[in-house]
Amino acid sequence: MTRLNHTALSCGPAPSSDGAGLALALGGGFSRGFAHLGVLQVLEQNRIPISYIAGTSVGSILGAAYASGAPLSRIIATCRTIRFRDIARWRVSRLGLASNHRLGDLIEHVFESCRFEDLKIPLAVVATDLASGEPVVFTQGNLSEAICASCAFPGLFEPVQIGTRCLADGGLVAPVPTRAARELGAAHVIGVSVGQEDGRHGAPSNIFQVVCRAVNAAQKHQLEVWERQADLVLRPDVQHLAWDDFDRADEAIEAGAAAARRALPRIQKLLQPKADSTFDLEARLEAEAHSYLWLAEASR
């Protein structure tokens, strides 16, 4: 996994080895990603501190907004009014149907800071290098460029050129960026998966649905990879929502809150100080050996 200061296209700082705090890994899923706000809401209400955030696609937008110090109430209010036209401009080209550069205006309007170095909570944003097929993790520099790259869904949005790299949606290689969250230095990682399905059944009716379902099929085979890096996975019940149901933000937010409330006892137990750190390490290694994973899902 390549870590970049994307302004200079050089290696970013070495991952922290402190092993402290809780990290959230927020996955992609277009308007379904509003569920992340419900998770943040419940954690805030229960005074559960977040030490790190990693985001892919829409998870990078909402994670960065929260990490910037913007009040959650303001982020939610903005998401209730946002529509696809606010983040994209149709511009058919050989590389995509639209540009997502309008995200930059949204970032300036909502975020409290526009550079990684000025964030209140350390953040990692994941994109995909289309030349190598490898993840690229941004932890320094300009937020807008990194987020636009992380949100450049193939076939819909044009790839984003940063330096010599041609970058696309981070969900292609990190549907839920649990590894990036772990490498920030967190002791515990909670992944939030909202899925990449298009929310419709039957045969696809347009090129976007074809691409979306193809990406989703590939992501299903990555589950074991990213889940292994998580201590807990939340799966809000948002599968009934379509990718562009931006006017149903409240439903997604409530689904995220419901998943977090169900998982709250496990989250609190996860964060309890351990009396015997040696035993804790042995238990974790044993759990990983058996591919043990806590799963928290909202009731369907």
Side-chain angles (χ1 to χ4, degrees):
M1 184 177 291
T2 305
R3 304 178 68 85
L4 292 179
N5 171 333
H6 63 276
T7 302
L9 285 178
S10 61
C11 290
S16 168
S17 58
D18 294 343
L22 173 68
L24 282 185
L26 307 178
F30 289 92
S31 65
R32 291 175 173 183
F34 291 146
H36 297 320
L37 299 175
V39 173
L40 289 166
Q41 201 171 48
V42 170
L43 295 181
E44 239 188 37
Q45 290 168 352
N46 288 274
R47 299 183 179 180
I48 294 175
I50 300 167
S51 301
Y52 309 94
I53 298 175
T56 284
S57 199
V58 66
S60 73
I61 303 174
L62 301 178
Y66 191 76
S68 76
L72 186 57
S73 58
R74 192 170 85 204
I75 300 172
I76 290 174
T78 300
C79 289
R80 283 175 174 150
T81 62
I82 202 168
R83 298 295 180 265
F84 183 73
R85 64 178 176 272
D86 297 319
I87 61 174
R89 179 169 64 87
W90 294 112
R91 186 176 71 181
V92 178
S93 75
R94 292 178 302 168
L95 300 178
L97 301 177
S99 162
N100 66 6
H101 289 166
R102 286 182 178 173
L103 270 174
D105 297 332
L106 178 68
I107 289 169
E108 289 184 10
H109 175 65
V110 179
F111 290 21
E112 290 293 308
S113 49
C114 295
R115 293 186 63 81
F116 282 89
E117 294 85 350
D118 299 327
L119 296 174
K120 306 294 185 184
I121 300 173
L123 173 75
V125 170
V126 183
T128 301
D129 187 326
L130 289 179
S132 67
E134 294 296 321
V136 175
V137 181
F138 297 108
T139 57
Q140 298 181 41
N142 183 280
L143 275 172
S144 180
E145 292 181 355
I147 291 171
C148 284
S150 183
C151 295
F153 191 81
L156 176 61
F157 293 122
E158 298 167 331
V160 174
Q161 191 79 25
I162 299 180
T164 60
R165 293 177 181 267
C166 185
L167 303 173
D169 198 295
L172 299 174
V173 289
V176 181
T178 51
R179 179 179 172 185
R182 181 74 66 186
E183 290 184 347
L184 285 172
H188 305 290
V189 174
I190 297 177
V192 185
S193 174
V194 296
Q196 197 72 41
E197 296 91 343
D198 60 22
R200 297 182 173 88
H201 302 287
S205 59
N206 57 58
I207 187 172
F208 177 74
Q209 289 183 13
V210 171
V211 174
C212 195
R213 294 186 190 187
V215 170
N216 181 62
Q219 287 180 341
K220 287 181 178 179
H221 296 281
Q222 299 181 45
L223 284 175
E224 184 179 349
V225 176
W226 66 258
E227 285 182 346
R228 191 181 297 130
Q229 296 289 336
D231 298 283
L232 176 66
V233 176
L234 276 63
R235 302 184 189 277
D237 182 13
V238 290
Q239 303 311 306
H240 60 290
L241 298 177
W243 71 274
D244 56 349
D245 278 336
F246 291 96
D247 58 341
R248 300 173 70 180
D250 282 330
E251 292 178 55
I253 292 169
E254 177 50 38
R261 284 193 293 267
R262 283 177 55 85
L264 197 56
R266 289 178 173 178
I267 295 172
Q268 291 170 330
K269 184 176 181 180
L270 190 68
L271 299 179
Q272 286 177 353
K274 301 295 190 298
D276 189 338
S277 59
T278 302
F279 175 80
D280 180 50
L281 176 60
E282 291 175 352
R284 180 173 179 79
L285 291 173
E286 181 181 355
E288 290 181 354
H290 291 83
S291 299
Y292 177 74
L293 180 68
W294 280 349
L295 296 176
E297 302 188 13
S299 303
R300 295 185 181 275

